[in-house]
Amino acid sequence: MKKLLLVCMLFAISVVSLQANTREEAELVKCVDGDTTHLKVGNEVLKVRYLAIDTPEYTKEKEPYGKEASECVCKLLSEADKIELEYDDGSEKTDKYGRTLAWVYADDRLVQMELVQQGLAEVKYIYGDYAYTDDLQKAQKAAQADKLNIWSNQSYEEKGAKEKAMLGIGGGVLLIVAGLLFAKNKSQRKRMIKKGMRKISQNSKKH
């Protein structure tokens, strides 16, 4: 009997560990864009930010494929018989803006995966050990190889490159300022300024 109880307990623990992420049903309230939707859970309306992806803007700024990403999400959710949110144990439940972070399902289809597979979303903002990151990254590589939508030209990738270049330029400026204000001697000041100028020059060419 004791052995049987032990086996049952171990089985129960294994099931719980496999189903650690919490799911709850939701209703569509408002489509916003490709990675944000207003959903009602119980009596509460949540502004849900889709975990682990980023889609082109289609609210204040109209970016290429932003419309397609928004329409894809809205179609999936509006036609679904059941919408569910899954909260990842590896993530905070809300972001710094108070938006709910979750995996979103439309009739058991993971919306994040649908977007990434169609080349309408980039895998991004990975701040923890999320459940489906590896699968999303594999899907993204396939979409990139097939040059689907955001990966069909260089514009989306160039945007990321420009952001990195601007950060590099900012780092160069900081080095120069630090050299002028905090260098211990003339030699160190010259080295820091020279390094900062080189960094600015290198990233200006990329930009």
Side-chain angles (χ1 to χ4, degrees):
M1 179 64 80
K2 288 183 178 180
K3 287 183 178 180
L4 179 60
L5 284 172
L6 181 60
V7 169
C8 290
M9 287 174 66
L10 289 171
F11 177 77
I13 290 169
S14 67
V15 169
V16 170
S17 63
L18 287 171
Q19 299 177 340
N21 291 347
T22 304
R23 277 203 200 187
E24 54 187 5
E25 288 195 38
E27 297 175 28
L28 177 62
V29 176
K30 179 184 177 184
C31 297
V32 179
D33 58 21
D35 51 37
T36 308
T37 307
H38 291 178
L39 296 169
K40 187 177 181 182
V41 176
N43 295 320
E44 185 180 8
V45 175
L46 305 175
K47 188 173 184 179
V48 178
R49 178 62 169 81
Y50 290 34
L51 193 63
I53 64 163
D54 186 45
T55 62
E57 290 294 322
Y58 194 62
T59 48
K60 294 179 181 178
E61 187 179 351
K62 301 292 189 282
E63 294 181 339
Y65 301 104
K67 180 181 180 182
E68 289 84 349
S70 298
E71 288 177 347
C72 175
V73 169
C74 203
K75 186 173 188 295
L76 283 169
L77 296 180
S78 60
E79 293 180 357
D81 291 323
K82 183 170 72 170
I83 299 170
E84 290 179 293
L85 298 182
E86 180 179 333
Y87 304 107
D88 199 300
D89 288 347
S91 169
E92 298 292 332
K93 195 170 180 179
T94 57
D95 66 9
K96 61 183 179 181
Y97 304 108
R99 299 175 299 185
T100 297
L101 297 171
W103 303 105
V104 183
Y105 290 86
D107 290 335
D108 287 324
R109 296 165 67 187
L110 181 59
V111 177
Q112 282 99 322
M113 181 61 75
E114 295 287 331
L115 288 165
V116 172
Q117 286 177 335
Q118 293 183 44
L120 294 172
E122 179 182 9
V123 181
K124 207 169 181 180
Y125 307 123
I126 309 299
Y127 302 121
D129 185 16
Y130 304 156
Y132 310 116
T133 303
D134 290 345
D135 292 335
L136 288 176
Q137 288 173 338
K138 288 176 185 176
Q140 178 170 291
K141 285 181 181 178
Q144 288 173 322
D146 292 337
K147 298 187 181 301
L148 297 178
N149 293 316
I150 63 173
W151 310 115
S152 62
N153 55 53
Q154 297 300 310
S155 60
Y156 201 79
E157 293 174 278
E158 282 173 358
K159 180 186 172 185
K162 285 180 181 179
E163 289 175 353
K164 289 180 183 178
M166 292 304 293
L167 286 172
I169 291 170
V173 171
L174 286 174
L175 267 173
I176 292 171
V177 172
L180 291 170
L181 296 177
F182 306 113
K184 294 179 180 179
N185 51 54
K186 189 175 180 181
S187 177
Q188 186 185 43
R189 182 164 59 249
K190 281 185 177 180
R191 284 200 307 273
M192 292 176 74
I193 291 173
K194 188 176 180 180
K195 190 174 180 180
M197 292 296 291
R198 191 185 307 120
K199 199 162 189 167
I200 290 170
S201 176
Q202 289 171 345
N203 285 281
S204 295
K205 290 174 184 176
K206 292 177 185 177
H207 183 59

